[in-house]
Amino acid sequence: MNLNSVTALRRPTSAAAIAEWRDGYAWLAGGTWLFSEPQPATDTLIDLDHLGWPALEASPGGLEIGATCRIAELYRLEAPRGWIAAPLIRGCCEALLASFKVWNAATVGGNICMSLPAGAIISLVVALEGRCTLWPRGGAPREVPAVDFVTDDHTNILKSGELLRKIQLPASSLVKRAALRRASLTKLGRSAALLIGTSGSGATGPAAHDHRRNPRPMQLWFDRIPSVEALRQTIDARIPADGYFADVHGSAAYKRHLTYQFAEQIRAELGRPGAGA
Ligand SMILES: Cc1cc2nc3c(=O)[nH]c(=O)nc-3n(C[C@H](O)[C@H](O)[C@H](O)COP(=O)(O)OP(=O)(O)OC[C@H]3O[C@@H](n4cnc5c(N)ncnc54)[C@H](O)[C@@H]3O)c2cc1C
């Protein structure tokens, strides 16, 4: 849609060119959300497209994802053979409600910064123990664990004018066994529930279950594959019955039910010797 309140578009070639920040400014990434509804509080868009950040850099240390990497580019990543958790990448890209435009224009950083409960890229970077590099205006860069980035529905830790620059996924997570379960009301629709489990080598390795049907991502850690009962107890201890996000995609009770169901499926899958992503 036309954004009638916007009167200026800036196209900096470096983030430092935007030294001052004021109300009315907004970073523009793929624009799929910005242009999907009126933005009365915004008068100036600052396009990230000309900053020239590399999209994807794979190295022995892991995968670095530039915030301006398109979700379609991430989907096409040819991961090194040893990264057996890499199928999670496609699984999470496919977990978005993506029209042709959203699929090709939306960015990884935009999805994370939107911080919606249905933000499947958030689930991905949290499950793979990512770290986010943030560039404040006029301050030193800071790094935060991805699990701490989103704090509530459409709310995150970014300060005024602060940029999400990149996300690093460590190789130690990409070589883990992984399992994903997802429910949506329609085949290609927005996720009502998305759970990911990863497991290190051997039954005593760490296992994490990332639950993304809460307003913010949840990470549960176990020092070995838990029993059915231990898994259920941990879920109940961390997430109260009314702590699930109720919306048009399902009631809190429905999402709680899916969580139990999927968590148990993931537990059983990762508990099987030799099971992989
Ligand atoms: C039809 C449709 C379906 C959608 N389905 C989903 C869905 O299933 N799940 C979901 O999560 N979202 C969905 N969305 C919302 C949105 O399109 C996605 O979240 C998308 O990934 C946003 O990315 P973008 O690059 O287009 O962000 P933009 O629209 O450009 O920006 C989104 C917000 O993030 C800020 N921002 C962007 N990049 C940065 C950065 N690097 N640093 C700091 N701030 C930044 C912008 O200022 C803006 O506030 C949907 C939208 C539409 C129109």
Side-chain angles (χ1 to χ4, degrees), residues 1-153:
M1 65 160 55
N2 292 334
L3 298 180
N4 297 328
S5 60
V6 173
T7 54
L9 172 65
R10 296 180 64 178
R11 292 187 162 129
T13 52
S14 93
I18 309 297
E20 302 291 327
W21 193 262
R22 64 160 173 81
D23 289 348
Y25 279 9
W27 297 115
L28 168 65
T32 60
W33 175 76
L34 277 169
F35 284 93
S36 72
E37 55 183 74
Q39 307 289 345
T42 300
D43 60 49
T44 302
L45 293 176
I46 304 171
D47 195 347
L48 301 176
D49 211 32
H50 301 272
L51 299 180
W53 296 342
L56 294 164
E57 291 182 295
S59 73
L63 180 65
E64 197 166 284
I65 310 172
T68 46
C69 173
R70 311 269 162 196
I71 290 174
E73 287 177 89
L74 179 63
Y75 183 85
R76 290 193 294 266
L77 173 76
E78 298 285 344
R81 283 185 67 184
W83 291 3
I84 59 171
L88 291 178
I89 294 176
R90 290 194 172 182
C92 287
C93 291
E94 286 168 347
L96 296 165
L97 167 60
S99 60
F100 177 83
K101 188 169 69 179
V102 172
W103 182 257
N104 288 289
T107 63
V108 167
N111 191 258
I112 297 172
C113 293
M114 276 303 294
S115 304
L116 299 175
I121 305 300
I122 303 167
S123 307
L124 175 71
V125 299
V126 170
L128 291 175
E129 297 155 64
R131 295 188 68 80
C132 300
T133 301
L134 311 182
W135 282 2
R137 291 304 81 216
R142 60 179 181 135
E143 216 181 84
V144 295
V147 68
D148 295 333
F149 184 86
V150 177
T151 52
D152 206 337
D153 179 21

